[in-house]
Amino acid sequence: MTIAPVVRSVEVKVPPARAFELFAGHMSRWWHEGHHIAPTPFQDIVVEPREGGRWFERDAEGNECEWGKVLEWDPPRRLVLGWQLGADFKYDPDFLNEVELAFTPAGSGTLVTLTHHNLQRFGDAADKLAPSLGEGWAMLLGLYRDFSTEETAA
C-alpha cells in the first residue's frame, strides 16, 4: 500500500535564510499551543541545528518529550525532520517517516513547501490519518506565515 504524501506550501515575505531560521529556530513561537503530545503544554519546541539533532518539546518544568530527529540540515534550502510519532501521536523510536521542508526563493520572499512522506508506515490508520495531517500542516503553515509576517513588520 502506498499513500500519497501530504504536500502543503506557503509563501512568506522574508528571504530563504530568514524563512529557514524562523521555521526551525523559533518553532515554539508559531506552533499551535494545543498541538503538544506531552501531558502538559510546551514552553519550547527545539529543533537541534544539525543532522542527527533532536526534535522535541519542553514544558515549563523542563520535562522533554521527543517528536523525532533532524535527518538533513541544509540551510537555507532544505530541512528534513524524522517524524517519530505513531498514529496515536505518541513517540516511537522505532517509527519514522519524513517531513521535508524546501525553502525556494520567490520574488523578494520564499516559497516554503512541506512534504510529509511515507504515510503508509502508519499502517491501517494511514488512510484516515493523511487528511488530518494535511489539515494540520495547512493550519500550522498558516501560523508560520503569520508569524514571519509579524517578524518582518517588527
Side-chain angles (χ1 to χ4, degrees), residues 15-27:
R18 184 69 174 144
F20 189 102
E21 176 192 351
L22 292 173
F23 188 94
H26 299 278
M27 196 173 281

Side-chain angles (χ1 to χ4, degrees), residues 86-145:
D88 57 359
F89 285 88
K90 293 190 183 338
Y91 176 73
D92 179 350
D94 297 321
F95 179 80
L96 179 70
N97 56 37
E98 298 82 24
V99 178
E100 174 186 2
L101 287 301
F103 299 83
T104 308
S108 62
T110 304
L111 177 65
V112 180
T113 303
L114 178 146
T115 307
H116 196 147
H117 296 279
N118 296 310
L119 301 180
Q120 65 275 5
R121 293 180 185 162
F122 285 114
D124 293 340
D127 282 330
K128 291 183 180 170
L129 194 56
S132 171
L133 285 169
E135 292 170 13
W137 284 124
M139 182 268 299
L140 289 167
L141 286 176
L143 293 172
Y144 162 72
R145 180 195 57 232

